[in-house]
Amino acid sequence: ASNKFSIITYTLILSQKKKNINNQSYNSCQIPFEMEYGNSTENGIGKSNGISNGYGIGNGYVNGHGIGNEHGNGNGDVYGNGKVNGEKVKKMKPMDSEMLREQGHIMVDFIADYYKNLEDSPQDFPVLSQVQPGYLRDILPDSAPDHPEPLKELLHDVSKKIIPGLTHWQSPSYFAYYASSTSVAGFLGEMLNAGLSVVGFTWLASPAATELEVIVLDWLAKLLQLPDHFLSTGNGGGVIQGTGCEAVLVVVLAARDRIMKKVGKNSLSQLVVYASDQTHSSFRKACLIGGIHEENIRLLKTDSSTNYGMPPKSLEEAISSDLAKGFIPFFICATVGTTSSAAVDPLFPLGKIAESYGIWMHVDAAYAGNACICPEFREHIDGVENADSFNINAHKWLFANQTCSPLWVKDRYSLINALKTNPEYLEYKVSKREEVVNYKDWQISLSRRFRSLKLWMVLRLYGAENLRNFIRDHVNLAKHFEDCVAQDAHFEVVTTRYFSLVCFRLAPIDGDEDKCNDQNRELIATVNSTGKIFISHTALSGKFILRFAVGAPLTEEKHVTEAWQIIQKHATKFIHNKKN
């Protein structure tokens, strides 16, 4: 849908000649209508309220024209497995290749038009949804339908009822949180994944799904210049988790089990973990799920003196203090690109501390790790060689679509031993058993999607250099915004920008921080209520901070410039008050 990635074009999807489709516009989304699916002498479909390509949907509800196998021309309604003019109605066939071809074309048209209209008609798509809680219950039925409904009716409801309730994460004017990046390659990978619908929990369940994941994660590890012990050729290796939250959970469990084998299973109450106060909230949740006592979660204070990175001195002091009190330090979570401000923890000194005490160190690089495929940003993960595990979210900034969170571990057996299950119904015999990977033992759930397929497609269809350049474009756009802020004396940039996130705010008047916080709260609420852009906020050292994160695949310089103009426009009331 985006011209940014011209390697794959929309014509890849529309490889078959379409039948006549008349389009009707609903809320700026072009929705195909009035489908013709054969005629009354070819497997019995004339115009009806059922949608099919020769067979009908459901166990037979047809309004008006009837369905028969050969020459069905009955009238009225047909229910269940009834007959029309003596012919039995065909049962529903959930996956019919011709129906998929027809309706797949229609759905791709719908999605492509959505992306086109995000660019061409932004006024029809408020970036931040403007609906009120509970809006959807008032406009949808209380129960599911008993009989099939036409696809055109469903897409009409998507356009009229669902899309108004969406916050448009793919809008070129979306600058909140961190992006959920999409691409044509990622979309096609998701389509292929859904179509093949394999469940690769063991090698036997789908050998290609397992082996491709191993290979693709080795590819990506090499692009990131990760140390060799993270490659599948050694004791380590990679696995695609659904999210970074899942990644941190499984490594906490692996580290917990590793230490408890040394100190005993009754030591759980003594186990202590460390992170900064900027670490993602999923870390605390992972620790609680893993049975770590909340009072044993040490979140070390950060401030502007380290640009909100974790201070190594504070970490070492905390570990020494805990050891003196009889606690057992076993896990450190370092972050490259924190959620609040994209701060970078200093991996090299933190890793040395972890190594000296025998503590597992995990590096959460969910957002910024993607940028480290660019040589100029690779320095931010220097020291990763001392880490036990490392993860990124390829769906954040590597255009792999939700969800795709590669995780690498230094010692795969620590992960497997913590998570493996061996029920009889999953046992199988295979040659070269020592070379076989069963990813069910690398994650929480048993079932797993063929996520490596879309990552493979992204890497092959774009190539590493195109991906690097697109990341660089986003960083340059963020720099452009940062320059705009720096040139306006009424605003200030709050933290050092490393990647594509700018933290800024209206500057305080006469040092009044409370009033400044209130003004920035009001400013962001006003700006987001316009629907023209969407930005988010955080808090740093008690200050209310505005976040401007570039990452949507359709964003160009004109969108960044327009966003800044909107922010300036709505800030004038505060500037005027300052002058008075």
Side-chain angles (χ1 to χ4, degrees):
S2 169
N3 291 330
K4 300 286 188 187
F5 294 113
S6 59
I7 297 174
I8 308 175
T9 65
Y10 174 55
T11 55
L12 285 174
I13 304 295
L14 303 181
S15 59
Q16 300 291 329
K17 184 177 180 181
K18 298 181 184 178
K19 297 186 179 181
N20 293 331
I21 297 175
N22 298 321
N23 291 332
Q24 182 171 345
S25 176
Y26 281 86
N27 199 25
S28 297
C29 286
Q30 303 298 317
I31 303 178
F33 276 91
E34 301 302 328
M35 287 74 76
E36 298 275 358
Y37 294 99
N39 55 57
S40 62
T41 61
E42 295 181 3
N43 285 332
I45 295 188
K47 287 188 177 180
S48 73
N49 285 347
I51 292 185
S52 177
N53 194 52
Y55 302 107
I57 290 184
N59 289 332
Y61 170 77
V62 181
N63 187 4
H65 294 281
I67 297 182
N69 262 350
E70 294 293 338
H71 303 283
N73 57 5
N75 295 306
D77 298 341
V78 178
Y79 293 89
N81 292 321
K83 296 181 179 180
V84 178
N85 286 351
E87 295 293 340
K88 189 175 182 179
V89 177
K90 272 189 173 286
K91 290 185 178 181
M92 179 182 75
K93 189 177 181 181
M95 179 51 74
D96 178 272
S97 60
E98 291 307 312
M99 183 189 300
L100 176 65
R101 191 186 313 280
E102 288 285 351
Q103 297 190 6
H105 287 324
I106 294 167
M107 188 61 74
V108 170
D109 275 344
F110 184 89
I111 296 168
D113 284 338
Y114 168 74
Y115 275 91
K116 180 174 175 56
N117 289 323
L118 279 179
E119 291 188 278
D120 295 349
S121 306
Q123 69 279 0
D124 296 323
F125 298 88
V127 187
L128 178 63
S129 176
Q130 306 296 302
V131 302
Q132 296 300 313
Y135 90 99
L136 195 56
R137 184 171 294 278
D138 294 335
I139 56 178
L140 288 185
D142 290 336
S143 58
D146 288 328
H147 306 293
E149 296 179 350
L151 180 60
K152 68 174 184 179
E153 184 176 322
L154 187 149
L155 291 180
H156 173 272
D157 281 350
V158 171
S159 182
K160 288 287 190 180
K161 300 173 182 178
I162 302 300
I163 285 180
L166 296 181
T167 289
H168 298 286
W169 284 65
Q170 305 310 317
S171 166
S173 296
Y174 178 94
F175 302 106
Y177 311 117
Y178 286 131
S180 174
S181 64
T182 58
S183 66
V184 176
F187 173 81
L188 295 179
E190 279 290 307
M191 179 184 289
L192 188 56
N193 184 2
L196 298 176
S197 197
V198 302
V199 184
F201 41 69
T202 62
W203 178 88
L204 184 70
S206 266
T210 295
E211 296 192 14
L212 183 63
E213 188 160 336
V214 171
I215 292 167
V216 168
L217 290 186
D218 279 352
W219 283 9
L220 188 51
K222 291 173 184 177
L223 287 178
L224 290 163
Q225 300 177 57
L226 296 182
D228 289 346
H229 58 241
F230 283 132
L231 299 178
S232 64
T233 49
N235 285 334
V239 55
I240 301 178
Q241 304 287 339
T243 65
C245 303
E246 295 169 48
V248 72
L249 172 58
V250 297
V251 295
V252 164
L253 296 178
R256 180 202 65 184
D257 280 19
R258 186 179 75 171
I259 192 67
M260 290 179 71
K261 286 178 181 178
K262 295 179 181 179
V263 300
K265 294 184 178 181
N266 296 325
S267 59
L268 187 61
S269 63
Q270 298 168 271
L271 300 185
V272 181
V273 300
Y274 305 87
S276 84
D277 58 3
Q278 300 300 306
T279 302
H280 194 276
S281 59
S282 61
F283 174 64
R284 174 182 171 275
K285 183 181 291 187
C287 292
L288 295 178
I289 292 172
I292 308 305
H293 293 203
E294 184 157 20
E295 61 270 21
N296 291 353
I297 301 173
R298 311 281 190 251
L299 300 181
L300 305 177
K301 185 181 172 77
T302 62
D303 57 35
S304 59
S305 66
T306 59
N307 203 37
Y308 296 96
M310 187 193 304
K313 183 179 179 182
S314 298
L315 174 63
E316 187 138 36
E317 289 174 350
I319 292 173
S320 297
S321 175
D322 283 329
L323 286 171
K325 296 174 183 177
F327 288 106
I328 304 171
F330 83 99
F331 193 91
I332 298 167
C333 185
T335 306
V336 175
T338 60
T339 304
S340 279
S341 63
V344 176
D345 291 339
L347 300 188
F348 191 79
L350 297 179
K352 287 297 183 183
I353 294 170
E355 187 178 38
S356 67
Y357 288 100
I359 299 174
W360 184 302
M361 185 173 84
H362 173 66
V363 177
D364 176 4
Y367 156 66
N370 296 279
C372 295
I373 66 171
C374 302
E376 63 270 31
F377 299 121
R378 174 56 178 76
E379 65 181 8
H380 295 298
I381 58 171
D382 285 352
V384 70
E385 58 270 17
N386 292 319
D388 293 272
S389 51
F390 175 87
N391 83 278
I392 67 172
N393 282 356
H395 57 253
K396 272 191 168 70
W397 210 6
L398 212 57
F399 314 103
N401 292 43
Q402 288 274 358
T403 52
C404 186
S405 184
L407 166 70
W408 291 269
V409 290
K410 184 177 182 177
D411 176 14
R412 73 179 74 171
Y413 300 104
S414 293
L415 193 62
I416 292 170
N417 290 339
L419 301 172
K420 69 179 177 182
T421 55
N422 296 299
E424 180 60 33
Y425 52 80
L426 293 180
E427 287 296 318
Y428 63 96
K429 293 181 179 180
V430 64
S431 62
K432 299 182 180 180
R433 186 60 184 257
E434 68 281 357
E435 298 179 14
V436 169
V437 172
N438 293 312
Y439 275 127
K440 71 180 179 62
D441 298 328
W442 296 51
Q443 62 179 32
I444 299 298
S445 64
L446 175 62
S447 295
R448 64 195 326 269
R449 302 182 70 238
F450 195 175
R451 292 187 177 99
S452 60
L453 195 59
K454 62 183 171 185
L455 189 54
W456 185 52
M457 292 181 69
V458 166
L459 293 172
R460 288 191 62 187
L461 294 173
Y462 297 144
E465 198 53 36
N466 274 326
L467 293 171
R468 291 187 186 108
N469 288 335
F470 212 77
I471 289 170
R472 288 168 179 143
D473 285 346
H474 282 166
V475 173
N476 289 334
L477 290 175
K479 185 180 185 305
H480 170 61
F481 183 84
E482 181 183 46
D483 290 342
C484 291
V485 174
Q487 291 166 15
D488 189 324
H490 303 294
F491 287 84
E492 63 179 4
V493 176
V494 179
T495 62
T496 301
R497 180 193 54 78
Y498 295 127
F499 305 104
S500 66
L501 171 67
V502 180
C503 291
F504 72 107
R505 65 171 183 164
L506 269 170
I509 301 170
D510 299 325
D512 190 337
E513 288 292 344
D514 289 339
K515 183 176 181 181
C516 180
N517 287 343
D518 290 341
Q519 288 179 337
N520 280 284
R521 286 190 185 94
E522 186 175 346
L523 175 59
I524 192 174
T526 304
V527 165
N528 288 339
S529 69
T530 68
K532 295 180 179 179
I533 66 170
F534 181 31
I535 61 176
S536 56
H537 77 279
T538 190
L540 296 171
S541 300
K543 300 174 182 177
F544 188 91
I545 307 299
L546 310 182
R547 298 173 72 262
F548 189 91
V550 180
L554 298 177
T555 301
E556 299 175 1
E557 185 173 335
K558 63 182 180 181
H559 303 111
V560 173
T561 300
E562 181 185 8
W564 173 240
Q565 290 170 347
I566 291 169
I567 292 168
Q568 278 189 311
K569 174 184 175 181
H570 291 285
T572 54
K573 63 179 284 188
F574 307 112
I575 295 169
H576 178 74
N577 290 340
K578 179 180 178 180
K579 291 178 180 179
N580 290 339

